Amino acid sequence: MNRLRQLFRRRIDRELSEEIAAHLDEKIEELMAEGMPRQEAVQKARREFGNLLRIEEQGREVWGWPSLEALFLDIRQGLRALGHNPVFTAVAVLTIAIGIAANTAVFSVVNSVLLKPLHYPGAEELVALHQLAPGAEGLADFESGLLLSPSMYVTYSDHNKTFESMGVWISGTANVTGLAEPEQVRTVAVSDGVFETLGVPPAAGRWLSPQDQIPNGPLRVVLGYGYWQRRFGGDQAVIGKTITVDAQPREIVGVMPKGFRFVDADFDLTAPLAFDRGKLILAGFGFHGIARLKQGVKIAEANADLTRLLPVWMDSWSNGPGSNPHIYETWKIRPMIRPLKQEVIGNVGELLWVVMGTIGVVMLIACANVTNLLLVRMEARQQELAMRTALGAGRARIVRGLLLESVMLGLTGGVAGCGLAYAGVRLLVAVGPSNLPRLSEIAMDSATLLFAMLLSVLSGLLFGLIPALKYSARSAGAALQSTSRTVGFSRERHRVRNSLVVGQVAMALVLLMSAGLMIRTFAALRNVDPGFSDAQRLQTLRISIPDSLLAEPERVTRLENAMLDRLQAIQGVKSAGFASEMPMEGFDSSWDQIYAEDKVYADNTIPPLRLYKYISPGFLETSGTRVVAGREMTWSEVYGLRPVVMVSENLAREMWGSARAAVGKRLREVPAMPWHEVVGVVQDVPEKGVQEKPPEIVYWPPLMKNPFAPGAEQVARTVTFAVRSERAGSESFLNEARRAVWSVNSNLPLASLRTMQEIFDKSLARTSFTLVMLEIAGAMALALAMIGIYGVMSYSVSQRQREIGIRLALGAQGRDVLQMVLSQGTKLVLLGVAIGIVAAFLLTRLMANLVYGVTVYDPLTLVAVASVLILVKLLACYLPARRATLVDPMVAIRYE
Amino acid sequence: MEQAAQRDLFPGALEMMILRTLKRQPLHGYALAQHIKRTSQDLLQIEEGSLYPALQRLLKEEFVKAEWGISSTNRRVRIYKLTAAGARHLEREVSSFERMLQGITRVLAPEES
């Protein structure tokens, strides 16, 4: 087909040429017949015929051919033009490459995290069974909502009409022994239906099946890919073997493939939840629900389905004799099912779009710079363009040629940018917050490359359009006549360059403002009392003592106590203690209703839910958390099962007015529990991170009577030890800590060995990521805008050299010249700053949720940013201005 | 697209004149140019060359067709002929041109009070 076209096309060309040649021949012959000499006849014939080449070209264009050949020609010409001026080309390409690299890198994050579907077959049918419960504040926070209880799962699973399949899962940890050193592994426990819902086939063996979910049935487990590789070297023969998990042998029945996660949870082992239906109660809202919608079912229908089932749930189960199942009506539970992707992404979208937006603005600034460069270069090329026009190039052709040139610049920059972006993405993944969802999926793919390509072409068009249109519009005659020496610069041309500078300054101000706000946020967060002191010298490690290893609660506490003693015996350790979790450690917290003895609670209402923790005596002293009234609990109280408790200051104030008043008051969780006396009040601790309001907290002793099982005790089995030592974090110290723990029980793995500082930094990871990104963007904007204004001022000074020379010759002082040039620059900068301030007011509102302790209209930041910007820009103006004063009047004038 | 040769003509005028000329008799390029020049008595400034892109356009629209033949001066030339579609197109163009001309003339005519 193509060949045919080409043949056809050649024929048209040939015929047209032949025809035109015949025409000229005939005319010449006729003119000569009238007696004109040949030479003259040829000339006259040509003149009257018009521009031969152009006519042939137009004739061809009618048939639609011209484009391709002309295009190649233009591309060749463009490349040649770019090659002629390597410095210009290098600067432009580098500017674009950096801009495109930054944008492509950030886009690959946005694409991988926000845009790409989850890695499950038919992912769009997957939903998270999110529920709202405004009446259960605390337990059901806005982010994760109210999780499902096992009985809820059973009710929903048995009676729903809208799900293809559904299930619940929970993540946790378990101890694996007998392989090498004891190891704490990440686990996900799943109900029936979870594997079926996600639909990812196993890499080896099989999924967990309904038979594995029988309570007290055979114990089975499915391995995660990473753990399989790490511990078993990816051996297929692992299926059917047993491993010891929490002191119980479990048969390995399958392995899941690489990259598979339960929603957002990476894991080493998956075990069945094996709910015992006979023993379920209403409560226990700790399980994440997921489901696959039936074909064509809308989320609203599924919501209605579950709303219908809530009363069924309350009627089918109870919390034990004498309890009122309909008490949950006060929680106002409302299903709010949402796409699984949304559940995974959480609220990170906003952050990423803000980063993408700022990087996009950097690209605009880069384009403005290149536009300016092109404008300068166009001056120099005016004669070339005029020549081309005179030789018969149409305006469209010239515009196209120039645009092609800038698109090629863009593409060259884009290719270089992709290389840089590849490094940038790796950097982003490295500095990105480890709690960024889907972090492991971030990679450059075809969509990213397409984005980079489009961005290159678009930016090429963007920065090429203004110069191309401006210069092609000039009449050839005017340009040819003017020589580079005497042509002044038209005001209009200057206006474009000036407005580009103003725009750059304005955009840079917006970016610097957002970076400044993040710096202020970070400073504000650092100033919040985190509820612990000297975090670098506070070692934490996590230990779990499973039921199956040691059943009796008191012995668990004694074991933990013995470990504390050994840890304290390590040289240089000042003190040690443990708690169910450290502040900001990020585990799902426990919540329960707390009744005060001296308060009256109406029937059918339940008091607000409070976060509760278990802490050992000495823990608060170790972590440096202040006791504001009363005292810490003692070991004799713990072992004596004395009903004592501590509360946070804000809870004390809320219930009894002040910290002091709280000491001696009594509270409990459920009627079956004895009243516990408040022996001490603890300072408020921002348990969920310094940017969150500190929650009200109840601190229970690690061992206490079990309110649900008379005569038995309950004990904190999984705890984080905190050890205060100068040597915290050092390898030798960690080895000694391991030996200390293993000297008590050699089957206990130590997990999450980190200093408190690491925990704190991780909790700030998202904020610091935003900070780093916005600072990079701000710095790039500042640098680019600086280069921009420097270029414009330098150029304008070089253009005015003669004028300045005359001024100097007529007696102007260097000072006057300096002032004149500076004032020109200052005007531009101030105008840009003014516009930038208005834009910043409008745009920084978008990041209201990302800042803390500062309003987005923070005047201090604004003044600081504006002054920095003005200062830097004036510096950029100063150099060219200084050069202007050094003009030698004689030379400048004689230069004519 | 700008065409310097047509700066005094409106778009389509040249095509109209070509079609009208070919309606009388088939002609080759040079003869066509001479004829238009002669009949317009040099009132119109037309570059001879600009005929050819116009002819290509008409060929493409199939308003004319071309055949290679031998001219009176014994040259191999392409002779253009009006097609039925071309004749219809010409009629439409001419009547719309006449309306336009009439309109312009009325506006330009001295006002009658």
Side-chain angles (χ1 to χ4, degrees), chain A residues 12 15-16 18-20 22-23 25-27 29-30 48-50 54-55 58-59 61-63 395, chain B residues 1-3 28-30 33 37 47-50 52-53 56-57 59-60 68 73 75-76 78 80:
Chain A
I12 286 182
E15 286 181 348
L16 191 62
E18 190 183 337
E19 190 175 14
I20 289 173
H23 178 115
D25 264 5
E26 198 165 346
K27 175 125 191 175
E29 198 169 286
E30 213 176 277
E48 285 185 7
F49 191 80
R54 187 145 157 214
I55 283 165
Q58 282 172 356
E61 270 175 19
V62 169
W63 298 92
R395 180 174 177 204
Chain B
M1 186 155 313
E2 281 177 79
Q3 282 167 354
H28 71 286
Y30 182 72
K37 223 176 187 176
E47 281 183 344
E48 289 173 21
S50 64
Y52 291 92
Q56 295 291 324
R57 276 193 288 280
L59 270 176
K60 191 180 179 206
W68 287 94
T73 55
R75 280 188 178 77
R76 204 171 103 84
R78 208 152 35 161
Y80 295 91

Side-chain angles (χ1 to χ4, degrees), chain A residues 76-108:
Chain A
R76 255 204 351 247
Q77 194 159 20
L79 284 176
R80 210 179 307 136
L82 291 178
H84 273 321
N85 205 334
V87 177
F88 159 79
T89 308
V91 171
V93 165
L94 196 69
T95 309
I96 302 159
I98 292 174
I100 287 189
N103 276 273
T104 306
V106 172
F107 176 79
S108 78

Side-chain angles (χ1 to χ4, degrees), chain A residues 407-425:
Chain A
V407 167
M408 271 185 285
L409 260 185
L411 280 173
T412 317
V415 170
C418 279
L420 282 175
Y422 183 72
V425 167

Side-chain angles (χ1 to χ4, degrees), chain A residues 29-40:
Chain A
E29 198 169 286
E30 213 176 277
L31 286 170
M32 282 167 71
E34 286 168 17
M36 198 179 273
R38 184 168 181 88
Q39 191 84 18
E40 211 173 307

